[in-house]
Amino acid sequence: MLSRKVFLGLTGRWTRSYCGVADFSSRKVRRTFVDFFEQKHGHRHVPSSSVRPRGDRSLLFVNAGMNQFKPIFLGMADPRSEMAGYRRVVNSQKCVRAGGKHNDLEDVGRDVYHHTFFEMLGNWSFGDYFKEDACAMAWCLLTQHYGICPERLYVSYFAGDAASGLPVDEETRQIWLDIGVPPDRLLPFGLRDNFWEMGETGPCGPCTEIHYDHIGGRNAALLVNSDSPDVVEIWNLVFMQYNREADQSLRPLPQLSVDTGMGLERLVTVLQGKRSNYDTDLFSPILSAIQERSRCRGYLGRTAGADEGKVDMAYRVVSDHIRTLTVCIADGVYPGMSGAELVLRRILRRAVRFCIEVLQVPQGALASLVPTVAHVLGDAYPELHRETGRIMDIINENEDQFLCSLQQGRRVIDNTLQKESGTLFPGAVAWSLHRNLGFPLDLVDLMLEERGARVNRTELDQLMAENQKRLSVSQQSVEDDQVRLDVHSLAELQVQGVPHTDDSPKYHYSLDPHRYVFPRCQATVQALYCDQALVSEVTEGQRCGVILDQTCFYAEQGGQSHDQGYFTREGAQDVLHPVEEVTVVGGYVIHQVTAADTLKTGDQVQLYLDQTQRLACMVKHTATHILNHALRLLLGSGVEQRGSHITAERLRFDFSVKGSLSVSQLQELESCVKNIITANQQVYIEEVPLDRARTIPGLRTVDEVYPDPVRVVSVGVPVPELLDGPSDRQTSVELCCGTHLLRSGAIEDLVVVSERQMVKGVSRIVAVTGEQAAQAREDGQTLAQDVDSLTARLTASTSACLSSAQRRAKEVGVLTDAVDNTPIPQWQRRELQSRLKSLQRTTNTAIRKLETREAAVKARSLLEKTGDRPLLVDTVDSDSLSVVMKTVNQISDRLPGSLVMLLALQRPSGKVLCACQVPKGCASLSASDWAVAVCSQLGGSAGGSALVAKGTGTSDDITEALRWAEEYARNKTQS
């Protein structure tokens, strides 16, 4: 512990002036922070986690340094993991604030300090030191090691909140006074500024913040927390003392912790004597690279009205966004259509827009900035160097896609404005552009402003709110459906001496010799959790979590579904308690049940595993490992797993790859997997110390917290042989807590039934095994024969009449639906789809020719009947809207100055087909208005352009409709 007396001896000097030290590079600032806590104060350096949250569905991105440590704060860390042993930790965490509760996206570029990506320097204490040492360390680092003059610093502390029953944090105030902070620089603030909360519920507590005055030589106390760019917060020290309950009350935490966060960008700005984050060496190389590619002037750091043409804003947007894109894509978050991927897509498109429209850089220039970002940040995050090529490819592909969407969006806006009266643009269309085409909303506003219009903000805000509500309800429904232990109950279990659940029996199965044997498992009820509290008894109908001393049930983790089954109580063996869900929290396995009878702590129970479901999951999990290995053999070592999910029915595997696999690659992949299955290779599983396991060559890992020791799963090669060093034998080897086969032969077969790109650069495979694989192959053969048969019939005969051609086109459509939706080998699906598209083109061509021929006959007949008229409204006998439209076209070709509308009544349905055409230059009547008016009279709808339109309606007698249509046209053309 750093005592106050010793510390005061170090920091009693107030004479140093400070306005920036030139040799404090961003790398040195980051390194100094980590070294200070690691070397001088015994902290463990934990590397930054990925910006994709690890098992936390409440976040789109990691947005604070503490995110990866939430399991510790909540008491849910696996007791066998490294994380469970953390007491003092330091790191620099990659963070993204865009989307969700913390969203800085629209502010980026407008000022000189907002960012979507930033680095959070932090130190943590988990039940170790608390307020006194946290404050002393922070002050020592800032004033002694970074050399910041104390006269530039101001400190805030929590002023208390009477309504919440929270007292003033006098302890922290006194600590700062003892350190030497003058009373007039020590300022109290309320809940909004100095009480930090993880979320709506969860650990929270008072915080103390250190602020820096860029000007100096004055008392700037009044500018603290006033949004002044001259006085900025640089470090927040949070003291985790309470837990916010679901009813919003506060309960003291069983363990006191410290969570601090200091933005690297702001700190570097201070230490390099700058006023803007964008003037530091974190951004200046990127800004210079942008200028080299731009036709605009260099970056001048201007804002608001002084920034003519928004050039400096564009520099800031692009330099910030390319950092975010580079870091996110390196971590496996690619631009897409939902969640974090959708946010990243919007960031990319916002950057592209500013590149092209403001900075006037050529297409592809955005991606060319990636190596510069890797140079700036790669020292701390070496994955940026490894992934540079992939990142550039993904950015370029998405830029191409957006530029196409931009053209489409302009057409949508122009067409909508033509249809709408007035200057108010529909909010629904603006939301569609934003949600479906990826248009930034400010781009929609800008394009409308250029056209003298504005969006219906009320309607748009309502749609955005409804979307957010749907997302919240969806998330809440998932959370509400689960029985979860809270931090207090976990602490109470430990106080009561309830041991962690022994779940090793889940691995106690054998192969004897042709079937798997799962031993019986007896257990004792250690605890019951119901209605957010530990109870000693539950009665029939109560939903609860049951904690046993041991279990053979697998809890959902590592992508594998939980086991199913039931248990019975000793003395009531005929009463079954079905297990609805199995989860593990903080070392306790929770069996979620709706009690079928009374259950008490101490009851003896017999567990019955659904062996069929478990074995199916084992098959799929081992098959997933083999598939992962085969993909690496096929595509190279650059393939990275991006997610997986194993159920009894099928396996899903996401992986990084530039584009979809070809037919030949899919065939080769299945063949490789089949060879390993047929060889019936032994699956070796052994627990190994984590550090030693990580030395295995070719080891496949994912971004998870692994227990120590960890289970190593190897197919075909004994684990000790892998630990001895590099082996000539290629094998699937992974760290995995899942349940696996003991030999690969039980998989029998594997068929990839789906493979598609989820987002650019990430493909998803869905595969089935065993009997389902055999069925998929059989169905594939059947469909292939059906396609062969249809092809032969279409080749052997030509349709002489339209109805026959339409029937054959329908056959092609029905077979196409079957091929699209039946689980068959994906390589075969692609081949059959290609053949069917060719057949569809052939039948469509035949239909068009026959329709044109039939339309010519009908047009001739009508002209013979009506002669040359300026307005022709009549009936035609046809059950095809396409034929009706073609007949109108042919009449209009022969009577180019005439208005033409034809109606076709279908018997006995009463459906009416309508088509019309008006001459070019007819200003008094629009074809679409005409068709819409007539079809509305018939209770239907229509659409089209100013020249041609078509629609449908319903009527038993169209005599009145014909008269009305003709009268409508006359009134329009004669007025």
Side-chain angles (χ1 to χ4, degrees), residues 872-892:
L872 194 159
V873 177
D874 211 329
T875 64
V876 64
D877 183 18
S878 177
D879 58 2
S880 165
L881 185 55
S882 180
V883 170
V884 177
M885 190 75 253
K886 284 182 170 64
T887 304
V888 168
N889 297 152
Q890 296 209 22
I891 292 173
S892 294

Side-chain angles (χ1 to χ4, degrees), residues 832-850:
L832 296 179
Q833 285 172 333
S834 178
R835 292 176 61 189
L836 286 166
K837 283 179 182 176
S838 178
L839 292 178
Q840 193 74 63
R841 284 194 296 270
T842 300
T843 56
N844 287 344
T845 299
I847 287 171
R848 282 195 298 272
K849 288 180 179 178
L850 290 167

Side-chain angles (χ1 to χ4, degrees), residues 22 112 266 318 330 350 359 466 501 639 671 686 722 780 869:
V112 295
R266 283 193 182 180
V318 175
R350 190 169 187 253
L359 295 174
E466 288 173 356
T501 309
V639 172
S671 176
E686 192 166 321
L722 296 170
R869 295 185 187 177

Side-chain angles (χ1 to χ4, degrees), residues 164-421:
S164 303
L166 293 169
V168 177
D169 190 0
E170 289 288 355
E171 180 186 1
T172 298
R173 179 178 180 275
Q174 190 58 50
I175 290 169
W176 286 120
L177 289 172
D178 290 347
I179 285 173
V181 178
D184 62 346
R185 294 170 183 266
L186 189 54
L187 312 168
F189 288 91
L191 283 172
R192 187 176 71 88
D193 295 303
N194 278 82
F195 193 88
W196 191 91
E197 306 203 38
M198 183 185 294
E200 296 297 323
T201 60
C204 56
C207 62
T208 183
E209 297 176 338
I210 302 174
H211 300 253
Y212 177 80
D213 178 15
H214 280 286
I215 305 298
R218 59 178 181 165
N219 189 317
L222 292 177
L223 297 179
V224 172
N225 284 334
S226 67
D227 293 326
S228 168
D230 296 331
V231 180
V232 295
E233 173 213 329
I234 57 173
W235 205 344
N236 186 12
L237 286 64
V238 180
F239 306 124
M240 296 290 199
Q241 294 179 243
Y242 305 101
N243 191 71
R244 178 74 71 180
E245 303 294 315
D247 63 2
Q248 295 302 293
S249 63
L250 292 168
R251 288 178 64 187
L253 283 170
Q255 173 180 280
L256 302 178
S257 298
V258 173
D259 164 19
T260 86
M262 177 160 55
L264 175 69
E265 290 76 9
R266 283 193 182 180
L267 179 61
V268 171
T269 299
V270 168
L271 296 178
Q272 293 183 0
K274 306 295 184 181
R275 293 299 306 278
S276 162
N277 297 352
Y278 291 93
D279 292 334
T280 68
D281 66 351
L282 287 167
F283 288 91
S284 54
I286 305 172
L287 293 169
S288 296
I290 295 170
Q291 184 182 356
E292 290 172 6
R293 295 154 175 78
S294 170
R295 298 175 188 168
C296 295
R297 60 165 172 80
Y299 178 67
L300 299 177
R302 294 170 177 169
T303 59
D307 181 18
E308 187 175 347
K310 297 185 177 179
V311 173
D312 289 331
M313 177 179 178
Y315 270 108
R316 288 188 290 270
V317 167
V318 175
S319 62
D320 171 88
H321 288 8
I322 192 60
R323 282 167 32 108
T324 305
L325 290 164
T326 301
V327 169
C328 286
I329 295 172
D331 278 350
V333 183
Y334 297 169
M337 288 300 293
S338 63
E341 288 78 8
L342 177 60
V343 174
L344 197 65
R345 179 174 178 246
R346 291 171 182 163
I347 290 172
L348 186 146
R349 293 184 168 201
R350 190 169 187 253
V352 170
R353 171 204 160 197
F354 277 96
C355 274
I356 292 174
E357 294 188 357
V358 182
L359 295 174
Q360 302 174 46
V361 299
Q363 187 174 344
L366 182 64
S368 74
L369 300 172
V370 172
T372 306
V373 176
H375 172 73
V376 174
L377 298 176
D379 180 60
Y381 311 113
E383 66 273 13
L384 303 186
H385 290 300
R386 293 195 304 269
E387 297 288 335
T388 293
R390 188 197 305 274
I391 297 166
M392 293 176 69
D393 287 343
I394 290 170
I395 290 174
N396 279 328
E397 289 173 8
N398 278 272
E399 181 178 12
D400 291 344
Q401 191 179 60
F402 177 51
L403 294 176
C404 292
S405 297
L406 203 59
Q407 297 300 324
Q408 185 181 354
R410 286 196 178 103
R411 290 195 298 270
V412 169
I413 288 174
D414 289 337
N415 291 337
T416 303
L417 288 173
Q418 285 178 9
K419 293 177 183 176
E420 297 291 324
S421 58

